[in-house]
Amino acid sequence: MPISGDQLLAVLAALASPQRLRIIAALKSDGRNYVSQLAREVGISRPLLHLHLQKLEEAGLVTSQLELSGDGKALNYFEVADFDFRTHAVGHRQGRQIPRRFVHQIQPMKGVHDV
């Protein structure tokens, strides 16, 4: 299903941060995690992590679920959402398509672990 221009901008803005790419990589490699543990793994404060996770969640790149631990503490778990965004440009002049070498595809998670 095609996404709107605003949705694409939100995704690209969310992916434009090296810290957010590290967060996605950590969640992808270790699976879902709760905020405190994820903050320790990524090496940033919980308040800053919350801001990054909010941006990623608004872009539809991560999802969250609030759960109660055995001792009654509320833990907010995050995990990477399934996503696959692709972009392409179509030339408007004389209805011609832009040559294939100028078509860009965004493949999530390829090379993110190298960040």
Side-chain angles (χ1 to χ4, degrees), residues 12-49:
L12 294 175
L15 293 175
S17 163
Q19 287 183 322
R20 287 193 284 271
L21 289 175
R22 282 195 224 33
I23 292 165
I24 290 174
L27 289 171
K28 187 67 175 173
S29 66
D30 299 334
R32 72 186 205 121
N33 209 339
Y34 62 97
V35 171
S36 295
Q37 180 63 31
L38 185 57
R40 285 189 290 273
E41 287 180 16
V42 178
I44 61 175
S45 68
R46 288 185 308 166
L48 182 57
L49 178 62

Side-chain angles (χ1 to χ4, degrees), residues 10 15 24 26 44 50 52 63 73 76 79 84 86 98 107:
L15 293 175
I24 290 174
I44 61 175
H50 272 288
H52 285 304
T63 60
K73 291 182 182 176
N76 199 2
E79 64 185 329
D84 182 20
R86 299 164 191 264
I98 292 176
Q107 301 275 338

Side-chain angles (χ1 to χ4, degrees), residues 39-74:
R40 285 189 290 273
E41 287 180 16
V42 178
I44 61 175
S45 68
R46 288 185 308 166
L48 182 57
L49 178 62
H50 272 288
L51 291 173
H52 285 304
L53 287 169
Q54 180 181 3
K55 185 90 165 174
L56 291 168
E57 194 168 23
E58 288 170 357
L61 301 174
V62 300
T63 60
S64 66
Q65 183 173 354
L66 194 60
E67 297 180 14
L68 290 178
S69 66
D71 61 358
K73 291 182 182 176

